[in-house]
Amino acid sequence: MRATGCLGVPTLHKLPSVFMVAALLGLLPLLHSHGLQPNPMLASEAPHHYPAVVRGNEPGDFTSAPPGISEEIHPLSKHSSNHTGNGHSKPEKAFPVLGIDYTRIRIPFEISLWILLACLMKLGFHVIPSVSNIVPESCLLIVVGLLVGGLIKGVGESPPILNSEIFFLFLLPPIILDAGYFLPLRQFMENLGTILIFAVVGTLWNAFFLGGLMYAVCQIGGTGLNHIGLLANLLFGSIISAVDPVAVLAVFEEIHINELLHILVFGESLLNDAVTVVLYHLFEEFANNEQVTIIDILLGFISFFVVSLGGVFIGIIYGIVAAFTSRFTSHIRVIEPLFVFLYSYMAYLSAELFHLSGIMALIAAGVVMRPYVEANISHKSHTTIKYFLKMWSSVSETLIFIFLGVSTVAGKHYWNWTFVISTLLFCLIARVLGVLGLTWFINKFRIVKLTPKDQFIIAYGGLRGAIAFSLCYLLDYSHFNMRDMFLTAIITVIFFTVFVQGMTIRPLVDLLAVKKKQETKRSINEEIHTQFLDHLLTGIEDICGHYGHHHWKDKLNRFNKKYVKKCLIAGERSKEPQLIAFYHKMEMKQAIELVESGGIGKIPSAVSTVSMQNIHPKTLPVERILPALSKDKEEEIRKILRNNLQKTRQRLRSYNRHTLVADPYEEAWNQMLLRRQKVRQLEKKMNNYLTVPAHKVDSPTMSRARIGSDPLAYEPKPDSENLPIITIDPASPQSPESVDLVNEEMKGMSRLPPSPEEDEEGLVMRVKEPSSPGTDDVFTPGTSDSPSNQRMLRCLSDPGPRPEPEEGEPFIPKGQ
Amino acid sequence: MGSSHSMSEEIQELAEKTGFTSEQIEHLHRRFKQLSGDQPTIRNLRQESDGLADEINFEDFLTIMSYFRPIEMNMDEEQLDHFRKEKLKFLFHMYDSDHDGKITLQEYRNVVEELLSGNPHLEKESARSIADGAMMEAASICVGQMEPDQVYEGITFEDFLKIWQGIDIETKMHVRFLNMETIAQCH
C-alpha cells in the first residue's frame, strides 16, 4: 500500500481506513433507530407497499448533497433518542435546551449517509492506486457493499435490499442520460446496423437459448427443479440475457478501448432495453396463462416495435421541446441546465408510464436535444450540465454497486448447484455463440469487418448487472415461488461477469494488443478534412448513382440546416455552419486553457511558435480578422478573461484615431505594427519579469484619472460616424479583458512570462457595445450596432507601439 | 454491347490494373455510358476549366473509382499501407490544385472557402482565418517549433501523411460497390 505522493505518506495510509471507520460509524445510528421501527425487509413485492428498503426511503431528494456530517458526533448511546424525542408533551418538564429529534430527519439523513458512504468509498479507492489498477472500481464497490451488509447483519439488523423502484426511477436515469447526452453520435450512426443486430437479435438469441436449455436442465435436474415450467425459464432467460449498460460503462471506461468496440458493446447494452422490456412483460403475462397462442406471439412481436419506436418517439418529442425552450432562455441563463434535466427525466417517466422503453426515450431525448441546446445555452450552462450529469451518474453507479453487495448479503437465497452452475455456463456459451454467429452475418455487410479479436472483446464484454437483479426482484412472489433461486443464480452470474470478466479484461486487452483509444485532440485540420471527405464521398456516390450512406446523411443535413435549425436555435447562430461552430469552440477552449495555464513560467508545451509569419511571409500580412462572433460569445469570452486575467497597461502613444482607416479590414499597416509591438513587448516582458516589483492594480478612478492626464488618451466619443474609434484604457481591473482570439496571438502571449502575481495580457480591441468610457478596452466603430461592427475584432498586442523608455517598465506600481 | 471479344480483353486489363472485378467494371461501364450520353468521354461540365483535363474516358473513370474501393480482409500490412497511401494521394491532389506537390496557404484557403460556400451569409474572412489557423496547426504538427523567420512553404505529401496519421482513411474513404444493383437511373 504505497501512496504515490511524497508528502504525508503516513496519513495517506491511514486515510482510507479513517474513511471506512467514519462511514461505518455513521451507519450505527441507523441501526439503532431502525430497531425501533417496523422492519421493512424485502420491499418490492408489491412496490406500493411498505416503502422501505433503503431505510424508509421515500421518493426522495436525489440531489441532496451529503451534508457535512462529522460522524463522531453520534455516540453509541443514541438509541434512547427516539424515546425522548417525543417527550415534550409531559408537563412540568424543564425547558429542553438541547433536544434530539431523530425521527424527523431520519429519511433524508439516511439517504444522505448512504450517498456520503458511496462518495467516500470512491475517494478512498483512488488513494490506493495499486489496488485500483488491478481491480475495477465496480468490484471494489461490490466488496464494500458486502462488507457493509455483513456488518449490518452482524449487528443484528436486516440490511436493506436494492429497491427496484428506487433503482429504476432514481438510480438508473442519470447514468443513461449521461451516456445518451454525450453519445458519440457519428460512430453510433455509422455502426447503427451492427448495434441493432447485436442488441435485438443477440438478446433474443440469448434469451431463448438460455431459457430453452435451462428448461431442459430443469427437467433432467432432479427434484426441486422439475416444477419450473418452460415459460418461467424463458422469463429467467430474458431477464439475464440483457447486457447491462451500467456494468459495461463501469468496466469499459477504465480500459480505454478503441471507439469502435466501445460503441458497439455500449450501444448494444443501451438498445437491448426494448427487447428486455418486451420479453419480460410478455413472459410475465404468459406465465399465468396455460396456453400460448399464435396471436399472443404475434402481439408480442408487434409490441416490440411499439415499445422501441414508441420510446424513441417520446424521446424525440421531448428533445425537440427542450431544444425549443432553450431558444428563449437567453435572459435566464441560470436555469438552463434544469431544462435539460427535467425534460429528459420526464421523457423517461412518460415512457415508463406507457410501459415503453424508458432507456431508449432517454437516449433519444438526449441525442436530439443536444446539438440545438448547445447552440443556445451559455458556456457556463454547458459546463454545469456536463458536470452535473457526470456527478449524478457517478454517484448513481457507486450506489448501485454498493447496494448490489448489500442486497446479496441481505436477500434470501436458495442455492441449487445444478441450476446456478448451468446458468453460468450457458450464459457464457450463449454469448459466445451469439456473437460469433452474428458477426459472421454482419461482416457480409460491413465495410470494416470485425476481426476475431474484436469479436472476442465483444463477447467478453457482455457483462450483466443490476438491471437483471432489479427485474428479478420485481417478480411477483406468488406467481414465481422459485424467485429466490432465480435471484441467487442472477447474483452469481453478475458477480462472475463483473469480477472475473471485469478484472481480466484489462490484461486481456493488453495481451491481445487490441487497439486503444487514440487520445488525439480534435484539430481544425481534422474537421476540415472530415467535412471535405463527406462532400467528396457524397459526390462520388452521386456519380455512381448509388443512394448510399453519405447521400442520406447529406440529405438529413440539408433538411436540418434549412428547417430545423431555424426553429430551434436562437438568433444568428442558426445560420452558422458546422465548421465555424467548431472553430469557435476550439478558440474558446484555447482561451480557457491559456487562462488556466497562466502560472508563472508555465508555458504550455503544446503551444507552438508557429505564427502567421511562418506560413505567409512573402505577401503582406493578411488580415486576421476572426470569424464573426456573436455578441453573446464575445460577452462570454470577455467575462471569462475578465475574471481571470489581469490587465496590463496600454501605451496610447502612437495610436491616433486619425491614422485608422475607415475600413477595418485593410490592416496591412496594422499588422506590421502589431508585429513590431509584439517583438518589442516580448523583450520588454522578459526584462521586466526579472527586475520589476509586483504590478499593483489600481482602482478605476485612478485609471480614469490616468486617462485624463494622459495627453494622448482617447476620448471615447466618436467624432464621426464613419471612422472607427479606439477607446483604450490603461488596464483597470474592472475593464473587461479582451482577448486575442487568433491562435497565434494566444500562443504569442503565452510565451510571455507573466509577472509574479498577475498575468499580462495583450491588449485587444474589441467591438464595443455602448458602455461607459474609460472602463473598456474597446474598439468602437461608431455607435451603430450594425452587424459589421461585430466582426471587427482586432488583435493588437500590448502597450503602445512605442513604449517610452523613460517611463520605465509598464509595471510601475501606481495608485498606491 | 459491342463486340464482346475485345471487350472482355479490355475488361481483363482494366481489372488487373484497378483491382475491380469484371462484374463491377461492367456495372461502372454502364453508369459511365449513362453519364456520358453514350459518348466515349465525359466532358468537363464546369465553366472554368479548373481541372487538368476537359474530358475523361472510361479508363480514367475507373482509375478514379478505384481509389474508393473498400479494403479487404485479406490484405496484408504492406498492401494496406500502399492502399492507404493511394487514397491519401488522391485526396492530396484534390487539395493541391496546381499540382506542384505542396498545398500552399492560398490553395488551402480556397478549399475552406468552397466548403463554406454553401452559406451565403458568411464573410470571406472567416474562411480565411480558419484556413490560416489550420495551416498553422499543420505547420506545428509537421515541423514543430519554428523560428520567426522560418518559412513554411506548404503542406507536402509527407506532412499530409503525418496529419492523417490519427485518422483511419481506409475505413472512411470508400463507397460501397457491393450492391451495384442499386444504381439508379441518371436524372
Side-chain angles (χ1 to χ4, degrees):
Chain A
M1 287 236 283
R2 241 175 303 127
T4 51
C6 46
L7 306 165
V9 170
T11 32
L12 283 174
H13 275 281
K14 302 205 182 76
L15 216 46
S17 17
V18 168
F19 283 150
M20 296 275 305
V21 169
L24 293 174
L25 268 183
L27 287 174
L28 283 172
L30 288 170
L31 311 179
H32 287 283
S33 64
H34 191 64
L36 303 170
Q37 306 292 327
N39 197 348
M41 258 288 285
L42 306 170
S44 55
E45 315 214 332
H48 304 294
H49 275 6
Y50 219 96
V53 173
V54 184
R55 295 288 155 159
N57 209 341
E58 282 176 4
D61 184 358
F62 188 72
T63 65
S64 64
I69 303 173
S70 56
E71 279 112 63
E72 285 69 29
I73 290 186
H74 304 294
L76 285 175
S77 55
K78 215 33 182 343
H79 59 274
S80 56
S81 62
N82 287 306
H83 292 301
T84 54
N86 299 324
H88 298 289
S89 51
K90 291 197 192 135
E92 298 166 21
K93 195 164 180 276
F95 183 74
V97 173
L98 189 64
I100 297 176
D101 187 1
Y102 187 62
T103 49
R104 196 172 139 239
I105 58 146
R106 206 183 115 209
I107 292 168
F109 190 75
E110 288 171 3
I111 300 176
S112 307
L113 267 185
W114 278 107
I115 299 181
L116 186 63
L117 172 69
C119 299
L120 289 175
M121 286 305 116
K122 254 182 129 61
L123 205 59
F125 293 145
H126 288 284
V127 179
I128 322 172
S130 57
V131 182
S132 58
N133 279 340
I134 309 175
V135 185
E137 217 173 85
S138 39
C139 303
L140 290 174
L141 289 170
I142 293 185
V143 169
V144 167
L146 287 173
L147 285 176
V148 172
L151 185 77
I152 297 181
K153 208 165 194 180
V155 188
E157 300 296 331
S158 44
I161 303 187
L162 182 60
N163 184 345
S164 297
E165 291 309 310
I166 306 265
F167 175 75
F168 279 114
L169 292 182
F170 298 110
L171 291 179
L172 193 59
I175 302 180
I176 305 293
L177 180 60
D178 179 37
Y181 197 77
F182 293 110
L183 198 65
L185 197 59
R186 209 188 167 94
Q187 280 104 334
F188 188 73
M189 285 304 166
E190 278 175 13
N191 295 300
L192 189 62
T194 314
I195 293 179
L196 274 177
I197 290 185
F198 272 126
V200 176
V201 180
T203 313
L204 280 174
W205 157 260
N206 276 349
F208 282 104
F209 183 75
L210 190 66
L213 277 184
M214 289 314 294
Y215 181 61
V217 163
C218 285
Q219 299 300 64
I220 322 174
T223 56
L225 291 180
N226 284 344
H227 61 283
I228 307 178
L230 176 64
L231 281 172
N233 274 308
L234 283 177
L235 179 60
F236 177 70
S238 69
I239 292 178
I240 202 167
S241 63
V243 178
D244 188 79
V246 181
V248 164
L249 256 183
V251 169
F252 269 52
E253 217 164 30
E254 300 182 2
I255 61 179
H256 295 301
I257 208 166
N258 68 41
E259 285 172 346
L260 173 66
L261 287 179
H262 186 232
I263 199 70
L264 281 180
V265 181
F266 185 58
E268 178 195 344
S269 69
L270 287 176
L271 294 185
N272 65 18
D273 180 59
V275 180
T276 310
V277 166
V278 170
L279 284 180
Y280 180 80
H281 283 128
L282 210 61
F283 289 132
E284 206 191 2
E285 280 296 314
F286 291 167
N288 302 335
N289 312 345
E290 281 308 316
Q291 280 234 351
V292 178
T293 64
I294 296 289
I295 302 281
D296 294 327
I297 297 183
L298 200 62
L299 283 180
F301 192 66
I302 296 179
S303 114
F304 166 69
F305 284 105
V306 169
V307 163
S308 51
L309 294 176
V312 171
F313 181 67
I314 289 187
I316 292 181
I317 299 229
Y318 272 99
I320 293 180
V321 175
F324 190 67
T325 312
S326 72
R327 185 181 165 175
F328 302 107
T329 58
S330 48
H331 300 291
I332 320 177
R333 294 280 184 198
V334 205
I335 57 174
E336 273 170 347
L338 208 54
F339 281 120
V340 171
F341 301 142
L342 285 176
Y343 276 117
S344 315
Y345 193 47
M346 289 195 63
Y348 180 75
L349 293 177
S350 311
E352 289 286 325
L353 169 68
F354 295 109
H355 274 303
L356 303 175
S357 166
I359 289 186
M360 294 186 83
L362 206 47
I363 303 270
V367 161
V368 165
M369 79 166 74
R370 184 179 179 201
Y372 308 110
V373 161
E374 294 215 332
N376 282 330
I377 64 178
S378 73
H379 182 77
K380 282 192 186 154
S381 300
H382 172 78
T383 311
T384 309
I385 291 179
K386 182 163 133 186
Y387 276 100
F388 259 88
L389 280 180
K390 298 282 176 207
M391 177 185 84
W392 271 330
S393 71
S394 181
V395 170
S396 257
E397 197 181 291
T398 315
L399 274 176
I400 288 177
F401 281 116
I402 289 187
F403 270 118
L404 214 49
V406 174
S407 314
T408 311
V409 173
K412 292 201 304 191
H413 292 295
Y414 183 85
W415 182 272
N416 181 316
W417 279 99
T418 332
F419 194 77
V420 172
I421 299 293
S422 45
T423 305
L424 191 55
L425 215 59
F426 291 139
C427 252
L428 295 173
I429 296 179
R431 176 76 183 162
V432 171
L433 285 180
V435 169
L436 283 178
L438 286 177
T439 318
W440 173 81
F441 177 68
I442 290 173
N443 269 346
K444 294 192 191 222
F445 299 98
R446 274 181 73 90
I447 298 286
V448 182
K449 319 276 183 200
L450 293 174
T451 65
K453 256 196 281 187
D454 297 337
Q455 294 173 33
F456 177 73
I457 297 289
I458 294 176
Y460 208 67
L463 307 174
R464 314 301 203 268
I467 289 187
F469 181 82
S470 312
L471 277 178
C472 185
Y473 225 90
L474 281 175
L475 285 178
D476 192 357
Y477 203 64
S478 56
H479 286 141
F480 298 97
N481 54 352
M482 72 296 287
R483 194 186 78 171
D484 297 327
M485 193 166 63
F486 285 174
L487 263 182
T488 314
I490 289 181
I491 288 192
T492 315
V493 173
I494 293 179
F495 271 40
F496 183 82
T497 55
V498 171
F499 277 93
V500 175
Q501 286 178 244
M503 271 202 271
T504 54
I505 200 170
R506 201 193 307 213
L508 273 175
V509 160
D510 290 334
L511 194 69
L512 292 176
V514 178
K515 261 196 339 185
K516 296 256 182 125
K517 180 155 75 161
Q518 314 233 296
E519 291 296 344
T520 49
K521 259 191 342 184
R522 286 278 284 180
S523 66
I524 186 79
N525 268 307
E526 196 179 313
E527 185 71 17
I528 293 180
H529 293 318
T530 314
Q531 287 220 353
F532 189 79
L533 255 187
D534 273 345
H535 282 277
L536 181 62
L537 289 172
T538 312
I540 297 280
E541 279 189 3
D542 275 344
I543 293 180
C544 289
H546 174 69
Y547 287 127
H549 195 69
H550 291 98
H551 181 90
W552 295 115
K553 207 156 70 150
D554 193 54
K555 274 215 159 134
L556 186 65
N557 277 338
R558 278 180 211 271
F559 174 70
N560 192 11
K561 207 187 314 195
K562 198 154 159 215
Y563 300 110
V564 183
K565 273 194 181 172
K566 293 225 175 88
C567 291
L568 298 180
I569 299 185
E572 54 193 53
R573 287 206 66 178
S574 58
K575 303 197 202 77
E576 193 179 57
Q578 188 187 350
L579 198 56
I580 302 281
F582 183 79
Y583 190 59
H584 284 168
K585 241 201 283 186
M586 274 196 46
E587 296 286 79
M588 202 66 128
K589 252 194 245 174
Q590 280 185 338
I592 295 176
E593 262 175 38
L594 178 69
V595 168
E596 281 178 0
S597 72
I600 295 177
K602 232 203 305 176
I603 301 174
S605 55
V607 166
S608 87
T609 49
V610 176
S611 61
M612 273 309 285
Q613 190 94 23
N614 298 108
I615 62 179
H616 206 155
K618 297 171 226 171
T619 65
L620 277 180
V622 286
E623 52 267 43
R624 294 176 304 110
I625 303 289
L626 291 161
L629 278 190
S630 64
K631 279 215 280 204
D632 302 306
K633 283 222 145 74
E634 285 177 19
E635 195 49 47
E636 285 184 45
I637 296 180
R638 212 182 290 173
K639 258 191 262 176
I640 293 175
L641 292 158
R642 184 190 332 175
N643 295 337
N644 291 297
L645 295 174
Q646 300 296 330
K647 261 329 227 167
T648 179
R649 310 199 178 266
Q650 323 296 351
R651 298 282 137 195
L652 315 172
R653 299 300 135 147
S654 63
Y655 275 116
N656 185 329
R657 71 176 101 107
H658 300 297
T659 62
L660 281 173
V661 286
D663 181 2
Y665 295 145
E666 297 168 24
E667 42 162 315
W669 176 86
N670 277 335
Q671 189 63 24
M672 286 191 295
L673 221 46
L674 205 106
R675 292 257 144 240
R676 266 194 292 148
Q677 287 163 29
K678 218 169 78 150
V679 171
R680 235 170 284 139
Q681 176 57 25
L682 183 52
E683 288 177 68
K684 268 224 161 293
K685 291 256 164 91
M686 296 286 227
N687 294 335
N688 291 327
Y689 175 60
L690 300 171
T691 59
V692 172
H695 163 59
K696 293 281 196 308
V697 177
D698 44 6
S699 62
T701 40
M702 290 306 293
S703 59
R704 254 174 267 154
R706 243 183 300 121
I707 294 184
S709 62
D710 193 333
L712 289 183
Y714 283 166
E715 297 182 85
K717 296 201 194 63
D719 80 333
S720 107
E721 289 294 309
N722 301 327
L723 280 185
I725 294 160
I726 299 186
T727 313
I728 304 181
D729 271 357
S732 75
Q734 269 67 26
S735 50
E737 207 53 59
S738 320
V739 153
D740 184 322
L741 294 176
V742 171
N743 288 353
E744 60 134 318
E745 274 300 308
M746 299 241 259
K747 290 165 188 168
M749 286 191 292
S750 64
R751 276 183 275 160
L752 311 176
S755 66
E757 280 175 18
E758 301 140 6
D759 292 344
E760 288 296 327
E761 192 52 51
L763 156 70
V764 229
M765 315 275 232
R766 302 195 108 242
V767 172
K768 171 181 144 69
E769 47 267 34
S771 78
S772 62
T775 54
D776 272 353
D777 303 341
V778 287
F779 170 49
T780 317
T783 49
S784 62
D785 206 10
S786 65
S788 62
N789 294 346
Q790 296 179 347
R791 298 198 192 96
M792 294 192 288
L793 292 179
R794 189 153 304 257
C795 316
L796 298 168
S797 75
D798 220 41
R802 251 189 333 227
E804 313 299 282
E806 67 271 20
E807 273 211 320
E809 305 85 21
F811 305 120
I812 294 178
K814 281 202 186 166
Q816 281 175 336
Chain B
M1 299 231 180
S3 56
S4 47
H5 184 63
S6 60
M7 279 280 280
S8 53
E9 276 178 5
E10 280 178 34
I11 293 183
Q12 276 295 66
E13 275 182 45
L14 290 171
E16 277 168 39
K17 196 165 129 196
T18 59
F20 284 126
T21 69
S22 44
E23 226 184 52
Q24 290 172 335
I25 293 183
E26 281 196 23
H27 277 156
L28 280 173
H29 187 75
R30 251 179 270 148
R31 182 66 183 167
F32 183 79
K33 280 198 152 167
Q34 276 175 3
L35 289 174
S36 68
D38 276 343
Q39 303 290 323
T41 62
I42 300 181
R43 321 198 102 256
N44 189 348
L45 297 170
R46 286 174 67 137
Q47 297 305 104
E48 337 86 57
S49 55
D50 259 308
L52 287 181
D54 275 333
E55 311 179 322
I56 57 171
N57 58 14
F58 183 56
E59 200 172 317
D60 301 331
F61 183 68
L62 264 192
T63 316
I64 295 182
M65 285 298 157
S66 76
Y67 288 121
F68 290 93
R69 273 190 307 136
I71 57 172
E72 286 142 33
M73 288 267 277
N74 49 9
M75 284 186 170
D76 56 7
E77 272 301 313
E78 199 187 297
Q79 270 185 318
L80 210 56
D81 199 46
H82 173 77
F83 209 55
R84 192 186 141 89
K85 274 222 174 98
E86 287 294 310
K87 292 192 194 248
L88 282 175
K89 213 161 181 60
F90 182 73
L91 209 56
F92 185 76
H93 282 310
M94 289 212 69
Y95 281 103
D96 184 20
S97 44
D98 57 358
H99 297 278
D100 59 354
K102 291 200 239 284
I103 305 177
T104 60
L105 185 62
Q106 190 53 44
E107 288 166 350
Y108 212 23
R109 273 192 198 148
N110 287 342
V111 168
V112 176
E113 270 168 27
E114 294 209 355
L115 267 185
L116 298 174
S117 64
N119 192 330
H121 302 271
L122 218 51
E123 304 281 327
K124 281 193 94 188
E125 287 67 29
S126 330
R128 250 184 238 219
S129 44
I130 292 182
D132 294 348
M135 194 73 175
M136 284 194 272
E137 199 182 86
S140 69
I141 292 179
C142 307
V143 185
Q145 304 288 339
M146 287 183 77
E147 300 302 312
D149 48 0
Q150 260 183 292
V151 173
Y152 184 64
E153 294 289 332
I155 306 181
T156 63
F157 188 54
E158 283 70 33
D159 299 338
F160 198 64
L161 283 179
K162 251 194 257 184
I163 296 175
W164 275 92
Q165 215 163 20
I167 319 169
D168 285 335
I169 181 78
E170 55 264 19
T171 62
K172 294 202 178 162
M173 186 164 154
H174 58 75
V175 177
R176 290 166 189 270
F177 286 119
L178 304 171
N179 316 342
M180 295 300 270
E181 303 82 48
T182 59
I183 287 183
Q185 292 296 319
C186 182
H187 43 266

